[in-house]
Amino acid sequence: MDALSALEFIYLCAVLVLSYAIRGSAGFGVVTIPLLALVLPMKIVVPLVTVLGVISSCSILARDARHVEWREILRLLPFTVAGTLIGLYFFNAVDARTLAHGLGALVLAYGSHTLRQTARPLPQWKLPLRLMLPLTGAGAGFVGTLFGSMAGVFYAIYLDMQRLGKNAFRATIAALLLVLGSMRGVGYFALGAFDRETLFACAVALPLMFAGVMLGNHIHTNLNQTAFRRVVSIILIASGVPLLFK
C-alpha cells in the first residue's frame, strides 16, 4: 500500500466506505474485490476482503442476531461445505471466464426480474426446495472459492425466494457469509496469505469498513420492504454486468 498514489488512496477509501455501506444495508455486497483489484494486488485483496467480510458480518449480527433464520443456515451449511471443497479441487482446472459469463447472465436476469416485481407483480416461479438447497449451498461454496465475494449472490437469490423480511434477510445472509468467510480465512491463514503487508492493509481498511457499515445501517433502518427488495435487485444487477465482461 505504500506504493499507492494520493489519488489511488482516495479511490481505495471511497470504495471501502461505499461497498461496505452496501453490505451494511443489504447484508451482502459483491463489488468490493474487482474494484479494489484495480489498485491492489489480488494476493492482498482476497485475504483483506475475507477479514473485512467476517468483521462486517459480526457487526451486523451484533445488532440483528435475533433476526437470523437459523433453520435456513442449517439447511444450507452442508451443501456450502461440499461446494467449497469442490471449488478448491477444481480451482486450477475450471474455465473461470466461461463460468463468470454464465453466472453474470443468471444474476442479471434474476435481478431484473425481481426489480420488475417490485413495480408490477408477475407470476411467481420457484424451484422445489429439494433442488434449491443443494444448488444454493454448493453454488455459493464453489463460486465463492473461485470468485471470492460472489457467494453472496447465491444466498441472496435463495433468501429472496423465501420472501424473508428485510431484517431477517440481512441478518441471515450476514450469518451465512460469516461462516463461509471464516472457513476461507482459516485456509488463507494456513497458506500464509496474511503477511505483514496484508495485515497493514487490514489495519488501514478497518475504520473505513466500520464507517461504511454504520452508513449502511442507517440506510437499512429507513427502507421499507419494497424499497429494500429494490436495493437487493439493483445490487444483483450491478454484480451481474461486470461478470459478463470478465
Side-chain angles (χ1 to χ4, degrees):
M1 289 186 65
D2 294 336
L4 294 180
S5 67
L7 187 60
E8 288 174 332
F9 185 75
I10 292 171
Y11 168 83
L12 176 72
C13 294
V15 167
L16 287 168
V17 172
L18 291 175
S19 60
Y20 284 95
I22 292 172
R23 181 155 186 165
S25 63
F28 77 108
V30 293
V31 298
T32 315
I33 287 180
L35 292 178
L36 290 183
L38 295 176
V39 295
L40 291 176
M42 285 297 290
K43 72 172 185 176
I44 294 178
V45 170
V46 173
L48 169 64
V49 171
T50 299
V51 170
L52 295 181
V54 168
I55 296 175
S56 63
S57 290
C58 288
S59 67
I60 293 172
L61 292 173
R63 168 177 164 162
D64 288 338
R66 66 188 183 279
H67 296 297
V68 174
E69 292 285 342
W70 295 105
R71 183 177 65 174
E72 299 295 355
I73 293 177
L74 293 175
R75 284 175 170 178
L76 289 166
L77 189 56
F79 299 108
T80 296
V81 172
T84 301
L85 294 175
I86 295 171
L88 289 171
Y89 181 78
F90 285 102
F91 186 76
N92 293 319
V94 172
D95 183 352
R97 177 173 294 183
T98 300
L99 182 61
H101 291 171
L103 178 60
L106 171 65
V107 172
L108 186 60
Y110 186 81
S112 301
H113 172 76
T114 55
L115 183 60
R116 187 178 177 187
Q117 281 275 15
T118 64
R120 182 181 178 184
L122 299 170
Q124 297 291 323
W125 56 273
K126 188 175 179 180
L127 290 174
L129 189 63
R130 64 180 182 274
L131 293 179
M132 278 300 298
L133 283 173
L135 287 175
T136 300
F142 181 72
V143 173
T145 302
L146 297 179
F147 296 103
S149 58
M150 290 307 302
V153 167
F154 284 84
Y155 293 140
I157 291 175
Y158 172 78
L159 295 177
D160 179 71
M161 285 185 172
Q162 305 312 307
R163 292 295 186 266
L164 297 185
K166 68 170 190 172
N167 291 328
F169 180 101
R170 186 177 80 141
T172 304
I173 198 169
L176 284 164
L177 293 175
L178 171 61
V179 173
L180 181 57
S182 297
M183 289 191 298
R184 287 169 47 203
V186 170
Y188 295 142
F189 181 80
L191 293 174
F194 291 102
D195 55 18
R196 189 168 72 172
E197 189 175 10
T198 301
L199 292 175
F200 176 72
C202 290
V204 171
L206 274 175
L208 298 167
M209 180 273 293
F210 279 119
V213 171
M214 289 177 62
L215 176 60
N217 284 337
H218 177 74
I219 294 170
H220 177 83
T221 300
N222 291 280
L223 289 176
N224 60 35
Q225 184 64 30
T226 299
F228 179 77
R229 291 202 71 214
R230 287 174 180 163
V231 168
V232 171
S233 300
I234 291 170
I235 295 173
L236 289 172
I237 292 170
S239 65
V241 172
L243 285 171
L244 294 175
F245 301 97
K246 190 175 180 67

